[in-house]
Amino acid sequence: MLSKQLKADGLLVLYALIMGVTSLVLKTATQHLPVFGFLSFRFGLAFLACLLLFRKRSISGLSPRVLRHAALVGLVTFGAHVGCTAGMAVTPVGIAGFLTSLQTIII
């Protein structure tokens, strides 16, 4: 059986690998699509996937307070993704990969 530390280290390495590949994908995608077009496509697909996976659940049971907080988190996340993707569009891929890896350490 693997120790908790080994599992945690393995997951951190997997996360860093995914984030590193993501920087290359973002750089390539922003060379062919505008930032908002790419993000619309990316999150449109994610929305459809979530709609299919969680179609039986409803937000009708959530309080207005929870919905306001969720909207705020969504807006902050949107701003972060726009900033990151726009930055990837104008930054060399090596530097973008380094910054993404640095983000892994900071998080």
Side-chain angles (χ1 to χ4, degrees):
M1 182 102 348
L2 295 174
S3 71
K4 286 184 180 183
Q5 183 65 46
L6 189 57
K7 287 179 186 178
D9 290 345
L11 287 174
L12 187 58
V13 168
L14 179 63
Y15 176 77
L17 180 66
I18 291 170
M19 291 302 290
V21 170
T22 300
S23 67
L24 181 61
V25 171
L26 284 175
K27 183 66 176 173
T28 303
T30 55
Q31 289 175 344
H32 301 288
L33 294 169
V35 171
F36 283 106
F38 171 70
L39 288 176
S40 297
F41 177 74
R42 180 181 177 192
F43 288 104
L45 285 177
F47 171 75
L48 291 175
C50 287
L51 191 63
L52 289 173
L53 289 172
F54 304 112
R55 65 183 173 270
K56 295 190 188 242
R57 295 184 184 195
S58 173
I59 64 169
S60 61
L62 299 177
S63 70
R65 181 175 183 255
V66 169
L67 291 174
R68 278 193 308 272
H69 286 132
L72 178 63
V73 168
L75 286 173
V76 170
T77 303
F78 171 75
H81 279 286
V82 168
C84 180
T85 306
M88 292 282 185
V90 297
T91 304
V93 72
I95 294 173
F98 170 75
L99 293 173
T100 303
S101 299
L102 189 61
Q103 175 188 357
T104 302
I105 295 169
I106 293 170
I107 290 175

